[in-house]
Amino acid sequence: MYAARSPRPRRGGVRTLTLCAAAAAALAAGPLGTARAAGTDDTVKVTYRGHEFTFPASWPIVDLEKHPDVCVRFDRHAVYVGTPGDQQRCPAGARGRTEAFLVQPSAVKGRTATENRTARMFRVTADRIAVTAAYEADRTRIQDILRGAGLSVAAAGTGPTAGAPAAAPLPADATSFRGEGFDACTAPGQTAMDAWRDDSDYGAVGVYIGGVNRACAQSRLTAGWLRTQYANGWRFFPLYVGRQPTSDGGSCKGGCAAITDPVPQGTEAAEDAVEQASTLGFPKGTVIYDDLENYTPGSTVTSRVLSYLDAYTKRLHALGYRSGVYGNTSSLVTDLVTNKSRVTLPDVLHFARWNGKSTTTDSTIPANLWADHQRIHQYLGDTTETHGGVTISIDRDRLDVD
């Protein structure tokens, strides 16, 4: 245990694209810049490092070299070109998945192509370029765009990480912590982590390791990033955003893949979560928290959620990991407590009640459940804080986890 320290219309023909979006959508305005753009009324062609991509004209194209603070997100149609910035302005509550692209430079030689069917994501590298392509329902469109750019994925390796090796394990106490923590949609850059370590009371950070409804890209979340933060005193709680109770609950806003076949999907989520965790260096025994957004309890949705979570927990245990779950006190927590004798309870409860109280007790949780350092309380959400001159959108959490 580690204790706390004190779109606008476009015209056909060759043109420069001007990209605009509302601030709430976190897209900055500006020209494409480093890439060339041309096309028709219905499509836009983007050339980057010798590869020509043909995208729907309605998808915003964002030049990350000119706008490095734009948040790279896969919960809305967009194309991001360049290297994601070190201080992206990402909303803490983004959730969901649709068709989107991140096209960035790469030093990797040779060609690789992998697909994570669970997370609905292609990753391709070739000729100094790396492409991450997300999809929700239109997998064929993504394949066609990649193929048209000379990046065939017909023989892509499949599986959660498609053969990525497990990283050297982090120390066992990397996910043990008692004190103040925060979670952010994307892993902060090193400047931000250092500033917040020096100028805030936070000692733990929630990192979103995967899942079909993880909205933000995680270009910085690597085994090396985690080891650096650990050495600097940070501890972690890994979050997995799998299928949701409904497509429009909580932060989903209609864009989330929902639970439809609970037991197979819960089992699949656990297997994918373990693959992602081990690739990052989280060892066996780590608690992996499945993020289940708020919903209105009822016979059908409650049964679906509990069956999914039961399968998730059982499969995690079989694979040597511990189960955690994030949910609202008015929905998931109530359902778990009411049905505690009929479901395999998660090992740790991460409950959300935004009451501003930095405690791990709540009237909805019996004192004898999750009583042995098995709780996290998200007591404030979607807030923005500045420490050491660095601003991040976060959720605040109080941890008591061994």
Side-chain angles (χ1 to χ4, degrees), residues 198-214:
D198 292 340
D199 197 50
S200 79
D201 291 330
Y202 296 116
V205 56
V207 289
Y208 290 88
I209 66 171
V212 66
N213 288 307
R214 182 181 72 177

Side-chain angles (χ1 to χ4, degrees), residues 141-358:
R141 168 174 276 181
I142 298 301
Q143 291 176 301
D144 289 345
I145 292 172
L146 289 167
R147 186 184 304 112
L151 302 171
S152 175
V153 291
T158 59
T161 52
L170 288 159
D173 70 341
T175 53
S176 297
F177 188 76
R178 300 179 194 175
E180 294 295 314
F182 73 93
D183 58 273
C185 192
T186 189
Q190 194 59 55
T191 298
M193 293 300 293
D194 291 344
W196 278 49
R197 186 62 187 165
D198 292 340
D199 197 50
S200 79
D201 291 330
Y202 296 116
V205 56
V207 289
Y208 290 88
I209 66 171
V212 66
N213 288 307
R214 182 181 72 177
C216 293
Q218 286 283 24
S219 57
R220 285 181 298 276
L221 185 57
T222 64
W225 184 92
L226 287 165
R227 297 195 75 85
T228 296
Q229 310 323 318
Y230 177 86
N232 289 344
W234 288 100
R235 298 299 179 260
F236 314 103
F237 48 111
L239 298 148
Y240 182 86
V241 195
R243 287 180 173 265
Q244 295 299 306
T246 64
S247 64
D248 57 355
S251 300
C252 288
K253 305 186 189 322
C256 285
I259 300 167
T260 56
D261 195 0
V263 174
Q265 289 170 344
T267 300
E268 182 183 47
E271 292 171 348
D272 184 41
V274 167
E275 288 279 357
Q276 305 306 327
S278 63
T279 300
L280 289 167
F282 288 110
K284 289 186 176 183
T286 295
V287 182
I288 307 177
Y289 301 83
D290 190 88
D291 180 322
L292 288 167
E293 293 295 298
N294 193 31
Y295 59 95
T296 302
S299 59
T300 300
V301 68
T302 292
S303 176
R304 201 162 52 221
V305 166
L306 294 180
S307 295
Y308 174 93
L309 186 56
D310 185 80
Y312 174 83
T313 296
K314 287 177 177 176
R315 187 59 180 149
L316 274 186
H317 288 170
L319 294 171
Y321 284 74
R322 290 189 291 160
S323 168
V325 64
Y326 165 87
N328 198 281
T329 53
S330 65
S331 54
L332 180 65
V333 174
T334 299
D335 277 345
L336 283 173
V337 172
T338 301
N339 296 277
K340 60 181 182 296
S341 63
R342 299 192 297 135
V343 66
T344 305
L345 291 176
D347 300 291
V348 182
L349 181 67
H350 182 188
F351 65 95
R353 184 193 288 276
W354 293 357
N355 58 9
K357 297 180 180 180
S358 179

